[in-house]
Amino acid sequence: MTENSNLWTKKHTIQNNLEIWDEQYTWPQDGDEWSGQANRCNQPYEKWKQSIVDSFIRPNILETSAVLEIAPGHGRWSAEIIGRSRQATLVDLSPACIEFCRQRFSSFDNVSYLANDGKSLAGVADDSVDFIWSFDAFIHMNADVINSYFSEVRRVLKDDGIAFIHHAGRNNTFLPFSFLRSLGRPGRKLYKLMTMGKLKDDDGWRSDISREKIVKLAGKNGMAVQDQIRSWGANGEYSFEKYGDYISIIRKTIDISAN
Ligand SMILES: C[S@@+](CC[C@H](N)C(=O)[O-])C[C@H]1O[C@@H](n2cnc3c(N)ncnc32)[C@H](O)[C@@H]1O
């Protein structure tokens, strides 16, 4: 996250997210500039990106699917979603991002665009979505915002629907020490060491979220986490090692008899 590097000490509020992504961030390659995680796995960025499409997006979209993408930004993953689904809805806090997507995908007639309040899915009907995708966005959201979205995810998902949510994976034990962030650079470094196990490098503006917290928030909203993925590929060659993130796979119910 070297681009606009002075932005990344702000709190993870909806307002700050809005100001950053709507006004301050310059989107030099429309999201494809975020190649750090691929570099960390020693993989070319395009290959790493394609592995995400092949492993997580394509298998979950049928030509009959209604798909919701939360926080598409400039549409890095949306092209794949729109091209494969019956109906796609793109929801983002940033009106500028939604406008960018509207222009970028203007040749498609199966897309709805919503600029939202950063915590609800108003305008998306109950029990209407087969697959929800969100990448590089919940990593910047506070627990209260995620809680609000999870209540909405439960509302809009069909009973057999599925959500893939990419989020931060800090060490749960040390989350109560997030106050260290307010103590300047040394405090932020110490907190990063405690919750990410590293001193060097930035923290990718990750919010104070662990995999355990995601399970708890899903449960609180009547959903279950089926799996939490940090590495993938035939030999685990792709991963979120750089910042320790996860993709959580979330359902309204999990059929335990299938295991
Ligand atoms: C780092 S960009 C990622 C964009 C895109 N998902 C990608 O992977 O290229 C973060 C995106 O999340 C959006 N965002 C941040 N907080 C949000 C919120 N509370 N609700 C909806 N969108 C949000 C921003 O407007 C921005 O488009």
Side-chain angles (χ1 to χ4, degrees), residues 226-257:
Q226 176 182 310
D227 201 0
Q228 295 188 304
I229 298 167
R230 184 178 270 181
S231 64
W232 64 97
N235 304 304
E237 64 269 43
Y238 305 108
S239 78
F240 296 130
E241 203 55 46
K242 183 171 169 67
Y243 297 117
D245 306 334
Y246 288 93
I247 285 178
S248 281
I249 303 176
I250 301 174
R251 289 184 183 273
K252 283 167 97 164
T253 52
I254 293 179
D255 180 4
I256 46 172
S257 66

Side-chain angles (χ1 to χ4, degrees), residues 17 21 34 71-73 76-77 92-94 97 118 135-137 141 149:
N17 266 287
W21 305 112
W34 292 307
R76 177 162 56 136
W77 311 99
D92 201 292
L93 167 68
S94 155
C97 287
F135 195 85
D136 263 355
M141 293 179 201
Y149 269 129

Side-chain angles (χ1 to χ4, degrees), residues 38-231:
N39 295 342
R40 176 62 190 266
C41 321
N42 296 315
Q43 297 290 340
Y45 171 73
E46 283 306 330
K47 208 168 155 225
W48 183 88
K49 181 181 178 186
Q50 191 60 44
S51 77
I52 290 182
V53 168
D54 292 343
S55 305
F56 306 126
I57 298 180
R58 284 192 183 173
N60 288 297
I61 304 181
L62 303 173
E63 57 186 25
T64 52
S65 297
V67 181
L68 168 68
E69 183 176 7
I70 303 176
H74 278 200
R76 177 162 56 136
W77 311 99
S78 321
E80 186 67 30
I81 288 169
I82 292 168
R84 290 187 170 266
S85 57
R86 174 180 58 80
Q87 210 278 324
T89 304
L90 309 184
V91 179
D92 201 292
L93 167 68
S94 155
C97 287
I98 286 297
E99 194 44 41
F100 187 93
C101 286
R102 198 190 291 278
Q103 300 291 329
R104 177 171 175 179
F105 303 116
S106 59
S107 61
F108 292 89
D109 60 7
N110 63 334
V111 195
S112 305
Y113 303 90
L114 290 170
N116 77 343
D117 59 359
K119 60 184 179 188
S120 79
L121 298 171
V124 183
D126 297 1
D127 300 310
S128 65
V129 179
D130 297 288
F131 174 49
I132 297 178
W133 172 252
S134 189
F135 195 85
D136 263 355
F138 280 71
I139 56 170
H140 305 312
M141 293 179 201
N142 282 332
D144 59 334
V145 172
I146 295 179
N147 185 44
S148 174
Y149 269 129
F150 278 9
S151 139
E152 287 285 82
V153 164
R154 187 172 200 296
R155 179 180 69 75
V156 304
L157 265 188
K158 292 181 182 172
D159 284 347
D160 60 351
I162 193 165
F164 277 52
I165 306 288
H166 169 226
H167 57 84
R170 290 185 187 267
N171 185 319
N172 195 54
T173 308
F174 298 115
L175 290 186
F177 292 86
S178 63
F179 67 87
L180 288 168
R181 282 177 183 283
S182 60
L183 304 180
R185 202 155 173 265
R188 287 200 300 274
K189 278 190 112 164
L190 180 57
Y191 182 63
K192 191 169 62 188
L193 180 65
M194 292 162 83
T195 60
M196 288 183 152
K198 63 177 194 166
L199 260 178
K200 285 188 175 165
D201 212 354
D202 61 293
D203 76 349
W205 205 47
R206 264 51 184 173
S207 57
D208 299 318
I209 291 294
S210 61
R211 62 188 301 193
E212 293 87 346
K213 198 145 191 160
I214 290 292
V215 171
K216 209 168 162 186
L217 290 171
K220 191 174 159 191
N221 287 288
M223 300 188 293
V225 174
Q226 176 182 310
D227 201 0
Q228 295 188 304
I229 298 167
R230 184 178 270 181
S231 64

